[in-house]
Amino acid sequence: MGMPAVNERGATSNHSDEFKKGRILNESKKKRMMVSRGEIYWIKDTHKEVGSVQKVDGFRPALIISNNKGNYYSTTVVVVMLSGQVEKAMRKKLDCQIIIDTIVGMQVVMCEQIRTVDKVQLDDHITKLSKEQMRAVEEVLKLQLNL
């Protein structure tokens, strides 16, 4: 339990309560943050590591694929996960994956790993794909989803 503090109204509160309020405020700001289709972010991955779902120190790069209107109004975004295991992807040659060159090096866009994540899970912005790269990802998504 934290030490009691007196706020501007003269009421006592707990430091831990103030911390929680600050955290909630920061989370609500993040939920209103504007993100765009085609941007890549580090996301806090809350899924347990199971099977072929990988994560590094609890963070994974992910590409936002949801539309911008939904990105503006919603507290969630739809993403596909990325991987730096390019050689492995080249050996497998899966139709549901595409290799792209990004500011952090070559990445595999794994269109078979589509997730909805809360904007609170978004961490640092990495980069934004070019229109040509995004069109290529969209073609692979169409194949993956049989559209």
Side-chain angles (χ1 to χ4, degrees), residues 21-38:
K21 289 177 186 173
R23 190 183 80 222
I24 291 167
L25 239 168
N26 289 338
E27 286 181 3
S28 69
K29 282 182 185 177
K30 269 202 163 179
K31 286 186 177 189
R32 290 191 310 264
M33 72 187 278
M34 184 54 196
V35 296
S36 297
R37 180 178 172 87

Side-chain angles (χ1 to χ4, degrees), residues 27-89:
E27 286 181 3
S28 69
K29 282 182 185 177
K30 269 202 163 179
K31 286 186 177 189
R32 290 191 310 264
M33 72 187 278
M34 184 54 196
V35 296
S36 297
R37 180 178 172 87
E39 290 181 327
I40 298 174
Y41 281 84
W42 286 105
I43 65 162
K44 176 69 175 161
D45 195 348
T46 59
H47 289 84
K48 291 184 179 174
E49 202 166 322
V50 179
S52 62
V53 177
Q54 313 115 15
K55 59 183 168 186
V56 179
D57 297 327
F59 287 88
R60 295 277 316 271
L63 169 66
I64 296 176
I65 61 170
S66 46
N67 69 68
N68 286 334
K69 188 172 186 178
N71 294 340
Y72 180 79
Y73 288 105
S74 181
T75 59
T76 60
V77 291
V78 180
V79 300
V80 290
M81 306 312 288
L82 304 182
S83 171
Q85 296 184 5
V86 176
E87 289 179 21
K88 186 176 179 181

Side-chain angles (χ1 to χ4, degrees), residues 79-128:
V79 300
V80 290
M81 306 312 288
L82 304 182
S83 171
Q85 296 184 5
V86 176
E87 289 179 21
K88 186 176 179 181
M90 290 174 73
R91 281 193 312 271
K92 287 187 173 183
K93 297 179 184 174
L94 299 175
D95 290 340
C96 56
Q97 297 180 346
I98 182 171
I99 299 169
I100 57 169
D101 192 9
T102 71
I103 195 167
V104 292
M106 301 297 276
Q107 293 287 311
V108 182
V109 181
M110 298 183 293
C111 294
E112 76 277 18
Q113 290 193 23
I114 301 171
R115 294 189 190 165
T116 300
V117 298
D118 195 293
K119 286 182 182 176
V120 175
Q121 291 176 258
L122 297 179
D123 200 58
D124 291 337
H125 179 266
I126 298 172
T127 190
K128 183 169 182 164

